[in-house]
Amino acid sequence: MITRMSTLFLRTLREDPAEAEVPSHRLLVRAGYVRRVAPGIYSWLPLGLRVLRNIERAVREEMDAIGAQEIHLPALLPKEPYEATGRWTEYGPNMFRLKDRKNGDYLLGPTHEELFAQTVKGEYNSYRDFPVILYQIQTKYRDEERPRAGILRGREFVMKDSYSFDLDDEQLLRSYQLHRQAYVRLFDRLELDYTVVSATSGAMGGSASEEFLAECATGEDTFVRSSESDYAANVEAVTTPAPAEGRIEDHPPAEIHHTPDTPTIETLVEFLDSESEQRTFTAADTLKNVLVKTRAPGTEEWELLAVGVPGDREVDMKRLEAALEPLEVALLDEADFEANPFLVKGYVGPLALRDNGVRYLVDPRVVRGTAWATGADKPDHHVVDLVCGRDFTPDGTIEAAEVREGDPSPDGRGVLRSARGIEIGHIFQLGRKYTDAVSLDALGQDGKPKRVTMGSYGVGVSRLVAAIAEQHNDELGLVWPREVAPADVHVVIAGKDESLATEAERISTELDGAGVRVILDDRNVSPGVKFADAELVGVPTILVVGKGLANGVVEVKDRASGERTEISTDRIVGHLVGLLHG
Amino acid sequence: MITRMSTLFLRTLREDPAEAEVPSHRLLVRAGYVRRVAPGIYSWLPLGLRVLRNIERAVREEMDAIGAQEIHLPALLPKEPYEATGRWTEYGPNMFRLKDRKNGDYLLGPTHEELFAQTVKGEYNSYRDFPVILYQIQTKYRDEERPRAGILRGREFVMKDSYSFDLDDEQLLRSYQLHRQAYVRLFDRLELDYTVVSATSGAMGGSASEEFLAECATGEDTFVRSSESDYAANVEAVTTPAPAEGRIEDHPPAEIHHTPDTPTIETLVEFLDSESEQRTFTAADTLKNVLVKTRAPGTEEWELLAVGVPGDREVDMKRLEAALEPLEVALLDEADFEANPFLVKGYVGPLALRDNGVRYLVDPRVVRGTAWATGADKPDHHVVDLVCGRDFTPDGTIEAAEVREGDPSPDGRGVLRSARGIEIGHIFQLGRKYTDAVSLDALGQDGKPKRVTMGSYGVGVSRLVAAIAEQHNDELGLVWPREVAPADVHVVIAGKDESLATEAERISTELDGAGVRVILDDRNVSPGVKFADAELVGVPTILVVGKGLANGVVEVKDRASGERTEISTDRIVGHLVGLLHG
C-alpha cells in the first residue's frame, strides 16, 4: 500500500518543541512520530508506530532464532507474587499500584520475573522440560521520578523481556550467552553503535550481568572503558586492582600525633607535611573512614558499617550501595553519633571500630603492609604509620571509592576513560531468587526435586526508537537505517505539471507491487516544503520526480550520504528494488 | 519454523478446569492456550498468542482496506480529558483509577474517544484534513463486576478501537458504512455465525449504533429478531409499533370507581371484571404508572418522572435507562413519597401528575383515542374510560415496557423471537459529544470553524478468540478456521520406528519451506496421547505418519469433518500446500 502524504495522519512541525532536551526527542516530535499525552506517556502516530513495529519484528526474529518462545502475560498484576519476593515493597514509588473494585491490590508490571517463574511452575515439573526460554514484547510501566527525553525514559514503554529457566549454572551460562549473541546480532542489525559493559545486578538480585549501552553524549548512563583494551563497565561494576602487599617490617611503629584543627583530609595533609621534614604526605597516604548503617530489606534493626578509603577519594554512594546490595544503606544521623560516643567525628580510626565490634570494610588498595595516617579516635588526634595487618585487620574489602578518569583499567591494559550511553539491553544471571519464591523445582532423573535457576534479559523496544534516532540524525532531520525506517522510498512530486504526478504515481505503483514501501508526497504544497519534510522524516531513499523528467530522468537522493544520482525513468524501478536487496 | 511438541511450552490438561463455565473457556485452558492469573486477567501461552495475532492481522488488514490509519495511544491516561466529558465519574467502578507518585489522577483506558479527539485536534484544523479514520489495537482495562468465562469477559483485554472524524452527517454515515462493511468482511473471514443488531448507544452518547453478535447459547447479550424478516435488535433498541388512533367520541365519559383492595393490576382487573356485566377487562386495558426520578450527570437535583405502560407489561429498567440516557435514573424511596403526597402508592393516575407538573411519558401503545383503567389518585379508587387526548395528554412516549417473545416485529413482518450472542463488534455514530469537549473544529472554506462529528467502532479482539472457539469446537476439542489456527498442519509421528520420524521430519521440513505452518509431534509418548492432543489443539489438518508408511502412504485427517484420506508420500507435500490455497 502506498502511503500518501495528502492523507497521512502527519503534520510536521517547523519549530522544536519547547520541552525537548535531546535530538531524538526534538526530531521525533517535529517529524510527527510521537506526541506527548502526559509526563513520560506518549502516543505513537503512524510513522512512529511503523518504526516501533519494525524494531519489534527484528527483536522477535532474533529471539525466535535462539529458540525462545513468545507468550504474553498481563500488565495488570495481582500483588501476591510481588509480595512473595519482597518487590512489592522494594520497588517503592517507582511502581504504579492500584486497587480494584473489591479493594484488591494490583500493580502495573515493571518487569515480570515473578509471573514467568509462576507460569513455568504451572506447566513444567520434570528435568526433561528444561531448559526453556520464554519472552514477551509488552507495554510496561514504571513511575519514574524524572521521566525524560520523550520516549527515552518514559513511564509507559515497550520492552522485550525474556527469562531462561535452567537446571544448573552451566545451562544458565549457555542461555545467557545465547541472549548475549542475540543482542549483539540485534543491535548490529539496527545499526547501533554500542558497548557491552559489565554491570551490577541492580534491584534484580543475582550475579553476572552486562548492559548494552548505545553511545550517546546525552545518555543517562555513565560508564568507563579502557583506553587500550575492550574492557568496559558500569561505574558500579569497576573493580580496583589491589597493589602488591608491603613488608610490615619496613614501617616504623604507629605514632599518635596531636593534629589540632585538622577535621579535613586537606588540613591533615598540610599539617603532617609541615610537621615532618623527612617525609612528604599526600591525601593518598591517609585513610578516611566513612560511617554508614545498613539493614536487610524488611527488617527494622540498623547495623553500623565503616568504610575505609584512601583520603584522596570520595566514597561513591552508588558504588557503595551496589556493593552492599540487597542491604539498605543510610548515612548516620546525630542520634547515631550520640548512641555511639566512640565515633569521634572527623577522627574515626580502625582501633575504636575494632574495639567496639563495628564491621570494617576497606578499599582494595588497603592491603597488608600498607601504612596509613588516619583518625586516632579522639578530637584533634591522628595516628601515623598505622599498618594494615600489623596494627589493624579489616573485615574485608569493598568497592566504594569513586572511580576516576585515568585510573588503571582492571584488566591491566590502559587507563579508564568515562563515556555516556543509553541502556538498550540488559542481561542477568539471576540465580534462584525468584524460583525460590515460587518453589519452582524440576524432578530429577534420580526422582529428587531440584531448584531451577533463572536468567532475565531485557531490551528497551520503544527506547530503541529514540536510541536509533539519537545516533542517526543530522541537521535536516532523522536518517533511519533501512531495517527500521517507516518506508524505503520517499517520492517527491516536485512541481505542478500533470506529467510529474502521473510519472510519480506510475513509479510508486510499480515499486509497491515489487514490495518496496513507498511514501508518495502528492500534496498540493511547494517542492521546498516537500523536500524539507522528506529530509525531516528520514526515509533512506528520496526520489525526486521533477524538471529532469523532460529529459527522461528522475533524481535519487541517498538520505544518509546526501549523494544524488540521476536515473532514467525506465530504469528507476529496477534501480530502487536493487537498493533494497543490496 | 517448525513447532516441535517436544519443546513447545504447552501442557494440555486431561481434566476440565473447575472454574470453566463455557466450552471456549474449558477448551482454551485444557488445550494450553490461556492461563488465569487473576479474576478476568489471563496469560496467553504460545498457541493462544498465535491465534490472537492471527486475528489482529485480519483486523488490521480489513481496517487498512477502508483507509483507516493505525496509531497507538497510551493505556495509562491522565484524568483531565475524561473529566471534561464527564466519563471520569460516569464510568463508576468499571474504570481502574490510580494515582502516580505526585498524587496525579490517572486511569487505565477502557475506550479512547477523548484521547483520539484530542489527538486529531493536535494535528488537524482545516476542512481539507477531513475525513480521517484512525484506529489502534490495544490492551484495554475494565474493572468488570463479574469477569466471566475466561477471556470472554476479562478485565484486561485486547480491542481494536477506531474513530472517524467527519465534517458532516453525510460523511459520518459513509465512515459508519465503511466500518459496517469492514466488520462484515472480517467476521465472515473469521467464519463466525453472527447477527447485526440495532443497538442503543450505551454510555457513549450519540445516536445510530449497531452491534455484531456472535450467536451462541452461552452468550451474555440477549437480542430479538423477527421470525420472518432480517430485523434484529438489542432489547433496548426495539421500538413498539403504535396502533391506529381511536375515536374519542366512541368512549363513554371517564368514571371513578371505588375499587377496594386492588393494589395490583391482577386484583384490579378481577374487580372491574366482576363489577361489570357488559364489559371484559384485561390487564392490557389498564395503565400502570411507574414513578422514577432522573437527573443529568454531574448535577445534584433529582426530578420526578412518571412512566405509563399497559398493565400487562412490566417496565424494563434497562430499556428505560437506555431511553433516558444520558440521564441517571433511580427508583423513588419513602422520603420521595413523603415529599410528594399527591403520589398515592398503587393508585397514581395521570391527573395528579398533570396537576403537580410531573413529566409523564407513556408507552407508544397509549395513543390518542385509547381508553384506560388507571389510578384515581386516592386509595382504593381507580378511574375507568380515561381517554388519551381527551382526559389526559402525556408529555411524550418512551420505550420502557418489556419486550416479549411473540411481540410484532417493528418492521411489520413476523413476530419477535429472542436469542443470545456474544458482542464481537459495535459501531456508533457518536456525533459531537467528544469533539465538543475538546472543541475540535475544522476551518471551513468560508473561513468559519465547523465542529467535527465523530464515530466510534470497536472489535473485541481477544474476545474473538473465545467467540470463535465457542462456535468451532466438538467433543474432542477445538476446531479452528484456517485463518486463525495456530498452525496449518499437525504432524503426528504415530509409532517408534525410526523411519516414521525420518519421513515426518522430511515432510515437515518441505512444508515449512513452502510456507505451511507445521506443528510436529516428535514427543516420546504413545500415538494415543498424540492423537488426543492433536484433536484438542484443533489445527485444521492432521497428518498421521504411521503404519501406512510401509505401503508408501500417510493419512490426512480433516479436523472439522473427520474425513480421512490416504495420500502417497511423494504427493503429500503438494497435496497439503494445495489445501492451503484451495
Side-chain angles (χ1 to χ4, degrees):
Chain A
M1 193 142 43
I2 299 167
T3 302
R4 289 170 188 279
M5 289 289 277
S6 59
T7 50
L8 181 62
F9 188 65
L10 169 74
R11 289 297 176 265
T12 57
L13 310 177
R14 294 284 154 259
E15 305 290 327
D16 286 341
E19 77 279 14
E21 311 147 24
V22 302
S24 64
H25 186 192
R26 191 167 50 80
L27 290 169
L28 289 170
V29 171
R30 276 194 54 206
Y33 282 66
V34 299
R35 289 291 180 256
R36 182 181 178 280
V37 170
I41 300 178
Y42 281 76
S43 291
W44 297 86
L45 299 194
L47 296 184
L49 187 60
R50 288 192 198 176
V51 175
L52 183 68
R53 294 279 186 253
N54 290 341
I55 294 174
E56 285 181 11
R57 194 193 51 241
V59 170
R60 197 167 271 128
E61 287 173 6
E62 295 302 342
M63 291 310 297
D64 291 346
I66 61 165
Q69 301 184 54
E70 188 175 4
I71 66 177
H72 198 82
L73 267 51
L76 179 63
L77 298 171
K79 170 194 190 179
E80 290 69 23
Y82 285 77
E83 209 167 33
T85 58
R87 293 211 292 181
W88 175 260
T89 314
E90 278 169 34
Y91 251 107
N94 283 318
M95 192 154 77
F96 284 107
R97 295 175 181 79
L98 66 158
K99 287 189 180 286
D100 74 354
R101 64 195 295 152
K102 293 182 173 160
N103 213 33
D105 282 308
Y106 286 79
L107 62 108
L108 299 181
T111 169
H112 278 66
E113 281 75 8
E114 285 84 349
L115 267 287
F116 272 80
Q118 188 176 296
T119 300
V120 170
K121 186 182 165 75
E123 312 300 314
Y124 279 2
N125 57 30
S126 156
Y127 72 95
R128 288 191 199 85
D129 298 330
F130 296 91
V132 64
I133 299 173
L134 300 174
Y135 77 100
Q136 62 178 353
I137 295 177
Q138 195 201 35
T139 302
K140 292 212 159 11
Y141 297 88
R142 282 186 205 159
D143 198 359
E144 296 282 352
E145 191 171 2
R146 274 178 286 276
R148 183 181 164 267
I151 53 171
L152 209 45
R153 178 173 292 277
R155 297 199 293 168
E156 172 173 313
F157 54 96
V158 181
M159 251 186 81
K160 185 285 297 175
D161 47 329
S162 49
Y163 306 89
S164 62
F165 297 87
D166 288 295
L167 293 175
D168 55 39
D169 292 353
E170 205 177 317
Q171 270 191 2
L172 169 56
L173 186 62
R174 187 177 161 274
S175 298
Y176 182 89
Q177 291 299 346
L178 282 175
H179 275 91
R180 197 183 198 282
Q181 291 151 16
Y183 284 19
V184 165
R185 279 190 297 264
L186 173 67
F187 299 135
D188 284 350
R189 181 173 166 179
L190 300 180
E191 299 185 28
L192 281 159
D193 180 14
Y194 64 94
T195 305
V196 189
V197 307
S198 303
T200 51
S201 56
M204 312 294 291
S207 49
S209 151
E210 286 165 292
E211 280 178 10
F212 291 74
L213 299 179
E215 296 191 35
C216 162
T218 58
E220 277 199 298
D221 287 273
T222 305
F223 65 101
V224 292
R225 63 176 147 208
S226 165
S227 57
E228 284 172 28
S229 73
D230 61 0
Y231 174 85
N234 253 351
V235 171
E236 286 86 342
V238 172
T239 52
T240 308
E245 292 189 0
R247 286 160 43 108
I248 284 174
E249 54 273 33
D250 289 352
H251 299 287
E255 193 177 39
I256 292 179
H257 289 229
H258 180 228
T259 54
D261 298 328
T262 55
T264 65
I265 296 292
E266 205 170 54
T267 50
L268 172 65
V269 168
E270 199 174 323
F271 182 92
L272 292 176
D273 234 20
S274 65
E275 201 190 40
S276 161
E277 290 190 1
Q278 294 84 34
R279 296 168 67 174
T280 311
F281 284 89
T282 70
D285 300 319
T286 68
L287 181 60
K288 178 161 61 180
N289 298 304
V290 175
L291 268 294
V292 295
K293 53 188 179 181
T294 65
R295 67 177 176 193
T299 62
E300 286 294 309
E301 213 57 42
W302 291 101
E303 201 173 312
L304 288 181
L305 171 70
V307 176
V309 297
D312 62 333
R313 290 180 190 257
E314 297 302 324
V315 166
D316 179 330
M317 281 305 286
K318 276 182 137 178
R319 275 171 53 78
L320 176 64
E321 283 170 4
L324 290 173
E325 254 199 310
L327 295 181
E328 269 183 80
V329 184
L331 298 174
L332 299 200
D333 54 25
E334 281 307 317
D336 293 313
F337 280 100
E338 275 166 35
N340 298 287
F342 62 92
L343 297 176
V344 183
K345 266 199 216 175
Y347 301 92
V348 174
L351 304 182
L353 298 173
R354 177 195 64 199
D355 295 345
N356 291 279
V358 177
R359 192 162 169 241
Y360 184 41
L361 300 177
V362 296
D363 187 83
R365 294 172 191 87
V366 183
V367 294
R368 186 180 161 82
T370 52
W372 303 90
T374 187
D377 300 309
K378 55 184 176 179
D380 296 339
H381 285 79
H382 283 91
V383 56
V384 174
D385 289 323
L386 198 74
V387 173
C388 181
R390 180 185 75 184
D391 305 320
F392 71 102
T393 307
D395 297 311
T397 60
I398 188 166
E399 291 291 351
E402 60 178 321
V403 172
R404 294 197 197 132
E405 296 240 355
D407 281 349
S409 175
D411 67 353
R413 295 159 62 196
V415 294
L416 296 180
R417 300 281 176 230
S418 87
R420 299 181 74 83
I422 299 165
E423 185 187 330
I424 50 176
H426 204 156
I427 52 178
F428 287 100
Q429 295 175 43
L430 278 181
R432 297 181 175 81
K433 171 175 173 174
Y434 298 94
T435 53
D436 279 345
V438 299
S439 304
L440 173 55
D441 290 331
L443 214 58
Q445 242 171 319
D446 56 5
K448 287 184 190 149
K450 192 172 178 192
R451 188 58 36 94
V452 168
T453 184
M454 199 171 158
S456 154
Y457 317 90
V459 168
V461 176
S462 49
R463 175 178 288 177
L464 275 173
V465 178
I468 296 169
E470 204 65 37
Q471 291 188 353
H472 293 267
N473 70 72
D474 61 20
E475 68 287 0
L476 298 174
L478 296 158
V479 188
W480 295 111
R482 195 172 292 280
E483 170 95 30
V484 301
D488 294 303
V489 179
H490 193 126
V491 180
V492 172
I493 305 173
K496 294 195 173 178
D497 197 294
E498 188 67 24
S499 64
L500 303 179
T502 307
E503 182 62 8
E505 289 280 354
R506 178 194 68 83
I507 296 170
S508 298
T509 305
E510 287 187 26
L511 287 172
D512 183 48
V516 178
R517 300 165 305 154
V518 176
I519 293 178
L520 171 61
D521 199 343
D522 56 346
R523 291 177 298 171
N524 188 20
V525 297
S526 75
V529 167
K530 293 183 181 180
F531 292 142
D533 278 344
E535 306 278 5
L536 181 59
V537 162
V539 166
T541 305
I542 300 171
L543 175 70
V544 182
V545 181
K547 283 193 295 256
L549 189 61
N551 306 319
V553 295
V554 290
E555 186 184 271
V556 175
K557 179 176 177 188
D558 182 74
R559 176 67 187 89
S561 68
E563 200 185 321
R564 294 156 191 274
T565 324
E566 291 203 328
I567 309 273
S568 74
T569 53
D570 52 346
R571 289 200 303 113
I572 185 62
V573 172
H575 176 79
L576 292 173
V577 171
L579 281 186
L580 249 75
H581 303 117
Chain B
M1 194 143 46
I2 299 167
T3 302
R4 290 170 190 276
M5 289 288 276
S6 59
T7 50
L8 181 62
F9 188 64
L10 170 73
R11 290 294 177 266
T12 57
L13 309 178
R14 294 284 154 259
E15 305 290 327
D16 286 342
E19 76 278 15
E21 311 147 25
V22 302
S24 64
H25 186 192
R26 191 166 52 79
L27 290 170
L28 289 169
V29 171
R30 273 194 54 205
Y33 281 66
V34 300
R35 289 289 180 260
R36 182 182 178 276
V37 169
I41 301 178
Y42 281 77
S43 291
W44 297 86
L45 300 194
L47 297 184
L49 186 59
R50 287 193 198 173
V51 175
L52 183 68
R53 296 277 185 254
N54 290 340
I55 294 173
E56 285 182 14
R57 195 193 51 240
V59 170
R60 196 167 271 127
E61 286 173 8
E62 296 302 341
M63 291 310 298
D64 291 346
I66 61 166
Q69 302 185 53
E70 188 176 4
I71 67 176
H72 198 83
L73 267 51
L76 178 63
L77 298 170
K79 169 192 189 179
E80 290 70 24
Y82 286 77
E83 209 166 34
T85 58
R87 293 213 291 180
W88 175 260
T89 314
E90 279 169 34
Y91 251 107
N94 283 319
M95 192 154 75
F96 284 106
R97 296 175 180 79
L98 67 160
K99 287 189 181 283
D100 75 353
R101 62 193 298 152
K102 290 177 175 166
N103 214 33
D105 282 308
Y106 285 79
L107 61 107
L108 299 181
T111 169
H112 278 64
E113 282 76 8
E114 285 84 349
L115 266 287
F116 271 81
Q118 186 176 297
T119 300
V120 170
K121 186 181 165 76
E123 312 300 314
Y124 279 1
N125 57 28
S126 157
Y127 73 94
R128 288 190 200 86
D129 299 330
F130 296 91
V132 64
I133 300 173
L134 300 174
Y135 77 99
Q136 62 178 352
I137 296 178
Q138 196 201 33
T139 302
K140 293 212 159 11
Y141 296 89
R142 281 185 208 162
D143 198 358
E144 296 283 353
E145 191 172 1
R146 274 177 286 276
R148 183 182 165 265
I151 53 172
L152 208 46
R153 179 172 290 277
R155 299 198 293 169
E156 171 172 315
F157 54 97
V158 180
M159 252 187 81
K160 185 286 294 176
D161 48 329
S162 49
Y163 306 89
S164 63
F165 297 87
D166 288 294
L167 294 174
D168 55 38
D169 293 351
E170 204 178 319
Q171 271 191 3
L172 169 56
L173 187 61
R174 187 177 161 274
S175 298
Y176 182 88
Q177 290 300 345
L178 282 175
H179 274 92
R180 197 182 198 282
Q181 291 150 18
Y183 283 18
V184 165
R185 278 190 297 267
L186 173 67
F187 298 135
D188 284 348
R189 180 172 166 179
L190 299 180
E191 299 185 27
L192 281 158
D193 179 13
Y194 63 95
T195 305
V196 189
V197 307
S198 302
T200 51
S201 56
M204 314 294 291
S207 49
S209 150
E210 286 164 293
E211 282 179 9
F212 291 73
L213 298 180
E215 295 191 36
C216 160
T218 57
E220 278 199 298
D221 287 275
T222 304
F223 66 101
V224 292
R225 63 175 147 211
S226 165
S227 58
E228 283 173 28
S229 73
D230 61 0
Y231 173 85
N234 252 349
V235 170
E236 287 86 342
V238 172
T239 53
T240 307
E245 293 189 359
R247 287 160 42 105
I248 283 173
E249 53 274 33
D250 288 352
H251 299 286
E255 193 177 39
I256 293 181
H257 289 230
H258 179 229
T259 54
D261 297 327
T262 55
T264 65
I265 296 293
E266 205 171 54
T267 50
L268 173 63
V269 169
E270 198 174 324
F271 182 93
L272 292 176
D273 234 21
S274 64
E275 202 189 39
S276 162
E277 290 191 1
Q278 294 83 35
R279 296 169 67 176
T280 309
F281 284 89
T282 70
D285 299 318
T286 69
L287 181 60
K288 177 161 63 180
N289 297 305
V290 174
L291 269 294
V292 295
K293 53 188 181 182
T294 66
R295 69 178 174 191
T299 63
E300 285 294 310
E301 214 58 42
W302 290 100
E303 203 174 312
L304 288 181
L305 171 70
V307 176
V309 297
D312 63 333
R313 288 179 192 257
E314 298 302 323
V315 167
D316 178 332
M317 282 303 288
K318 276 182 136 179
R319 275 170 56 77
L320 175 66
E321 284 171 5
L324 290 172
E325 258 201 304
L327 295 182
E328 269 181 79
V329 184
L331 299 174
L332 299 200
D333 54 24
E334 281 307 317
D336 293 313
F337 280 100
E338 274 166 36
N340 298 288
F342 62 91
L343 296 176
V344 183
K345 266 200 214 171
Y347 301 92
V348 174
L351 304 182
L353 298 173
R354 177 195 65 201
D355 295 345
N356 291 279
V358 177
R359 192 161 168 241
Y360 184 40
L361 301 176
V362 297
D363 187 82
R365 295 174 191 86
V366 183
V367 293
R368 186 181 161 82
T370 52
W372 302 91
T374 186
D377 300 311
K378 55 182 177 183
D380 295 338
H381 286 78
H382 283 90
V383 57
V384 173
D385 289 324
L386 197 74
V387 173
C388 182
R390 180 186 74 184
D391 304 319
F392 72 101
T393 306
D395 298 311
T397 62
I398 187 165
E399 291 290 354
E402 60 179 321
V403 173
R404 294 199 198 130
E405 295 240 358
D407 281 350
S409 177
D411 66 355
R413 295 160 62 198
V415 295
L416 296 180
R417 301 278 177 231
S418 87
R420 301 182 74 81
I422 299 165
E423 184 186 331
I424 51 176
H426 204 157
I427 53 180
F428 288 99
Q429 293 176 46
L430 278 182
R432 297 181 175 81
K433 169 172 175 176
Y434 298 94
T435 53
D436 279 347
V438 298
S439 304
L440 173 55
D441 289 332
L443 213 58
Q445 242 173 319
D446 56 4
K448 287 183 189 149
K450 192 172 177 191
R451 188 58 37 96
V452 170
T453 184
M454 198 170 159
S456 155
Y457 317 89
V459 168
V461 177
S462 49
R463 176 179 287 179
L464 275 173
V465 178
I468 297 169
E470 203 66 37
Q471 290 188 354
H472 293 268
N473 70 72
D474 61 20
E475 67 288 359
L476 298 175
L478 296 158
V479 187
W480 295 110
R482 195 172 293 279
E483 171 94 32
V484 302
D488 294 304
V489 179
H490 192 126
V491 180
V492 173
I493 305 174
K496 294 197 170 176
D497 196 295
E498 188 66 24
S499 64
L500 302 180
T502 307
E503 182 62 7
E505 290 279 355
R506 178 194 69 83
I507 296 170
S508 298
T509 304
E510 287 187 26
L511 287 172
D512 183 50
V516 179
R517 300 165 305 153
V518 176
I519 293 178
L520 171 61
D521 198 344
D522 57 347
R523 290 177 299 169
N524 187 21
V525 296
S526 75
V529 167
K530 292 183 182 180
F531 291 141
D533 278 345
E535 306 280 3
L536 181 60
V537 162
V539 165
T541 306
I542 300 171
L543 175 70
V544 183
V545 182
K547 284 192 295 256
L549 189 62
N551 306 319
V553 295
V554 291
E555 186 184 270
V556 175
K557 179 175 178 187
D558 182 74
R559 175 67 186 90
S561 67
E563 200 185 321
R564 294 156 190 272
T565 324
E566 291 205 329
I567 309 274
S568 73
T569 52
D570 53 345
R571 290 198 304 113
I572 185 65
V573 172
H575 176 79
L576 293 173
V577 171
L579 282 185
L580 251 73
H581 304 117

